[in-house]
Amino acid sequence: SRMLHLIDENGHKRPVSVFVGKPQPSRVGPGYACPFQVIGIGSQNTDVGHGSDSIQALKTALDLIGAKLRRLNEELGGQLVWEGGELGFS
């Protein structure tokens, strides 16, 4: 998991959590699936990265998280921050 913050117009921090599950064999086809969820902004649905093995599924999930966070941050006017710099995902 990773904790980010959404900074509102008054400078208050609201927590935004990113959770990544353990890659497991896919239930819907060959390969692996890695679930992830962003809580605190957006739809908060559980999404899944897929791959031919567990490492590829994990990497896909991390790439999808990065894309989702960049899109949400753009919609929010750049108010999403991580204390480690940038948003912490590729």
Side-chain angles (χ1 to χ4, degrees):
S1 66
R2 172 164 289 163
M3 179 69 70
L4 297 97
H5 291 94
L6 178 62
I7 309 296
D8 70 16
E9 58 277 350
N10 297 319
H12 297 107
K13 290 182 177 181
R14 188 174 87 200
V16 175
S17 301
V18 178
F19 297 98
V20 180
K22 178 181 173 183
Q24 299 180 16
S26 177
R27 296 181 194 178
V28 297
Y32 280 72
C34 183
F36 66 91
Q37 190 174 29
V38 177
I39 300 291
I41 57 172
S43 68
Q44 303 185 62
N45 293 335
T46 299
D47 295 306
V48 180
H50 295 277
S52 57
D53 63 16
S54 60
I55 298 294
Q56 186 179 32
L58 176 61
K59 183 176 181 334
T60 301
L62 294 174
D63 290 344
L64 290 171
I65 291 167
K68 183 173 189 169
L69 290 176
R70 282 189 301 279
R71 180 183 53 78
L72 289 168
N73 197 32
E74 187 174 303
E75 291 173 7
L76 296 165
Q79 302 293 89
L80 189 59
V81 296
W82 176 53
E83 293 178 8
E86 301 273 329
L87 295 176
F89 292 91
S90 60

